[in-house]
Amino acid sequence: MKVLFAVPPLAGHVNPTVAVGAELAARGHEIAWTGPVSALAGLLPARARILPAGEEEAGREIGGTYAELHERWRDLRGVGALRFLWEEALVPLARAMVPGVTRAVHSFEPDLLVADQQALAGPIVARRAGIPWATSASTSAELTRPFADFPKVGEWVAGQIAGLVAEFGAGGRATGGTEHWDPRFSDRLVLVFSTPELVGPSEDFPSHFAFVGPAFGARPAPPCFPWQRLDPARKRVLVSLGTLNQEAGGRFYRAVLGAAERLAGEAQLILAAPASLIGDPPGHLLLQERVPQLELLPHLDAVVCHGGHNTVCESLAHGLPLVVAPIRDDQPIVARQVVEAGAGVRVRFGRTRAEELRDALTAVLDDPGPRRAARRIQASFAAAGGAAAAADRLEKLL
């Protein structure tokens, strides 16, 4: 079987496909990825087959490079961030990727295409070519009716999707038409890299939604890390805003430094942030611009993060309670899932003071409740099967 993964240039969306791709390759299947090469080359294994899509066309469609797009997006919040995500990122990225994905399908001739929910070009091309396709839901936010309380916003997003589908006439050979359909959700298989214990058991999901839990694959070589500086006498907490949000974290980092000072005798904070934004850190705080997150998590007692699905699931997979400070996009939804599951505390990203962050950290470090909930989710992740379960479902699809 030949499987083609269509992915956007974002680590959290690529990482699950790396694990699933490795599992499929170990079973004898032929694997390739399609997307912007300059970004994917640093996220995929060295020998991964990458078929370019969206690189040459990106400047025209998104109005600059991906780095310039991030600069425009970085300080937006709420509905403004949502509109930007669809108008300036997802829809233009789809337009930019369609020609390359089409070429990839013609040259690779996959039996199955697996598309991330933010790589809308994948399903569009698959429908036009009559190829079976499955969804890779690298975040569970889209599965939880995120616009239930904001129907006008939901209608606007649906209009963006419908316009994109109509633009490419992606009705598919089987139907011969351009009827409305949603490229975020395959009607044959949706791989959800989470479990109902986190997403919430109240949601009524169709049988082709497969909750396989997180899938952790090989990552680029981790940076050097001063392991000898981890203090065994204190509880250890990682603070990370992810790679895309660090520049927006100036005010939040000040609260982190204040909380670290107040907890210096009890906890050691490991802060993943650029030194230029922190200045001269106090000796009780370990500052690193990048950390080997997967290798570090087993040595920790809690995590403070922005509510990114990747970091949240990696932390919970190690049974670690969380303090979540969501910024935009799916992060408030993921943060709500953490809080409703009892596995953490939410704080305000833009207005958190040192005392509030200290109290939140004390709650997850000293109260056994969040740790028990985190370990319950950890057990559900392990039982779900991860990459092996995802590969089983993909094989059964054909």
Side-chain angles (χ1 to χ4, degrees):
M1 180 170 72
K2 289 184 175 182
V3 180
L4 179 64
F5 290 96
V7 291
L10 299 167
H13 296 256
V14 174
N15 287 341
T17 71
V18 174
V20 177
E23 178 68 24
L24 289 169
R27 300 182 185 192
H29 303 296
E30 193 173 346
I31 309 301
W33 282 262
T34 183
V37 173
S38 60
L40 299 191
L43 300 174
L44 293 170
R47 296 186 179 182
R49 182 173 181 180
I50 306 175
L51 305 174
E55 200 73 54
E56 295 180 359
E57 299 88 347
R60 179 177 69 255
E61 295 293 348
I62 68 176
T65 66
Y66 290 111
E68 291 167 342
L69 181 73
H70 171 246
E71 287 295 318
R72 304 200 301 270
W73 163 84
R74 187 179 63 196
D75 296 322
L76 296 175
R77 302 288 185 273
V79 174
L82 177 70
R83 290 186 65 91
F84 185 89
L85 176 67
W86 281 96
E87 290 183 331
E88 305 294 330
L90 298 187
V91 171
L93 177 63
R95 291 194 184 105
M97 285 181 62
V98 162
V101 176
T102 301
R103 292 190 295 269
V105 165
H106 288 162
S107 63
F108 187 58
E109 297 183 336
D111 301 294
L112 175 67
L113 188 146
V114 180
D116 182 87
Q117 285 187 310
Q118 292 193 1
L120 303 174
I124 286 172
V125 173
R127 292 268 293 199
R128 292 168 67 180
I131 297 172
W133 64 280
T135 296
S136 171
S138 52
T139 173
S140 58
E142 293 284 1
L143 313 180
T144 58
R145 295 192 288 273
F147 307 120
D149 296 330
F150 307 96
K152 293 295 184 182
V153 175
E155 291 172 8
W156 180 83
V157 170
Q160 295 290 307
I161 295 170
L164 180 67
V165 168
E167 178 180 341
F168 288 98
R173 289 180 180 172
T175 61
T178 55
E179 77 285 356
H180 174 69
W181 61 283
D182 194 334
R184 295 172 299 174
F185 302 100
S186 166
D187 60 1
R188 301 186 67 179
L189 177 62
V190 176
L191 295 173
V192 184
F193 294 99
S194 186
T195 60
E197 282 75 10
L198 177 58
V199 176
S202 62
E203 300 292 344
D204 184 19
F205 295 104
S207 60
H208 68 283
F209 280 52
F211 286 82
V212 298
F216 303 135
R219 304 285 172 85
C224 294
F225 185 79
W227 296 99
Q228 72 282 359
R229 288 189 59 192
L230 292 179
D231 187 351
R234 291 184 291 168
K235 295 179 178 179
R236 295 178 291 274
V237 179
L238 172 65
V239 181
S240 172
L241 297 180
T243 55
L244 295 180
N245 300 293
Q246 291 178 333
E247 297 297 328
R251 181 187 179 102
F252 188 77
Y253 289 142
R254 290 194 293 274
V256 170
L257 293 176
E261 181 66 36
R262 290 160 173 78
L263 294 171
E266 309 162 40
Q268 179 186 32
L269 270 60
I270 301 101
L271 176 57
S276 59
L277 295 179
I278 304 302
D280 186 20
H284 55 78
L285 184 141
L286 204 168
L287 175 65
Q288 295 285 115
E289 185 161 350
R290 293 177 61 233
V291 299
Q293 187 161 295
L294 283 179
E295 291 80 2
L296 183 60
L297 288 170
H299 303 274
L300 302 178
D301 296 280
V303 172
V304 178
C305 72
H306 57 305
H309 196 263
N310 212 45
T311 299
V312 164
C313 287
E314 288 180 0
S315 302
L316 292 173
H318 288 82
L320 299 176
L322 292 136
V323 175
V324 282
I327 306 172
R328 65 175 74 79
D329 301 333
D330 66 332
Q331 296 158 16
I333 297 172
V334 175
R336 185 179 71 235
Q337 292 175 2
V338 170
V339 173
E340 290 180 353
V345 175
R346 177 174 176 168
V347 296
R348 302 166 297 177
F349 174 76
R351 292 180 290 173
T352 298
R353 300 173 64 87
E355 293 80 4
E356 182 184 359
L357 188 55
R358 175 205 58 197
D359 292 344
L361 276 168
T362 299
V364 299
L365 289 172
D366 295 348
D367 183 348
R371 185 167 299 277
R372 280 198 300 267
R375 288 178 174 168
R376 184 181 68 250
I377 297 170
Q378 177 188 32
S380 77
F381 284 177
D392 288 345
R393 292 299 295 257
L394 291 172
E395 288 181 327
K396 290 177 182 177
L397 185 60
L398 292 177

